[in-house]
């Protein structure tokens, strides 16, 4: 899907196929031993929404040039999985 301005204008209006996640660590400095002081909740749409490479390139360009978000343009480490006894 081509979206001219994914940073400001891409949205999915049908949330009937989504799941809510409550609570999260944020950033690489938080883990299973050091918790984030922030309570984070977000929804994830389980449907597949294809985005063209050109659209994603434009998103990165906007983040870099307009908002100077250079630190967000490189791959970050993933969080450690929660021990299954807590799930």
């Amino acid at each position: 899907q081509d979206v001219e301005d994914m940073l400001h204008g891409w949205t999915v209006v049908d949330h009937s196929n989504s799941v809510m996640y409550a609570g999260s660590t944020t950033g690489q400095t938080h883990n299973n031993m050091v918790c984030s002081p922030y309570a984070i909740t977000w929804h994830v749409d389980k449907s597949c929404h294809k985005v063209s490479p050109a659209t994603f390139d434009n998103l990165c360009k906007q983040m870099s040039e307009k908002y100077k978000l250079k630190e967000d343009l490189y791959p970050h480490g993933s969080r450690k999985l929660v021990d299954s006894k807590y799930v």
Side-chain angles (χ1 to χ4, degrees):
Q1 174 179 354
D2 279 329
V3 178
E4 272 188 45
D5 187 356
M6 196 162 95
L7 187 62
H8 299 102
W10 186 45
T11 185
V12 176
V13 293
D14 178 17
H15 298 287
S16 62
N17 191 29
S18 64
V19 62
M20 183 192 78
Y21 293 94
S24 171
T25 58
T26 55
Q28 296 180 18
T29 58
H30 301 98
N31 55 40
N32 291 339
M33 303 303 235
V34 179
C35 295
S36 169
Y38 303 104
I40 307 294
T41 302
W42 72 99
H43 292 78
V44 175
D45 186 341
K46 296 188 295 183
S47 302
C48 179
H49 301 278
K50 295 181 181 180
V51 177
S52 73
T55 297
F56 203 82
D57 285 346
N58 188 51
L59 170 66
C60 293
K61 180 180 178 182
Q62 285 180 303
M63 290 171 65
S64 175
E65 293 178 0
K66 188 170 185 175
Y67 296 103
K68 310 296 184 216
L69 299 173
K70 306 255 187 238
E71 294 297 316
D72 292 317
L73 296 174
Y74 69 91
H76 295 69
S78 62
R79 72 186 76 217
K80 293 180 182 179
L81 296 178
V82 175
D83 190 307
S84 60
K85 69 182 177 187
Y86 298 114
V87 178

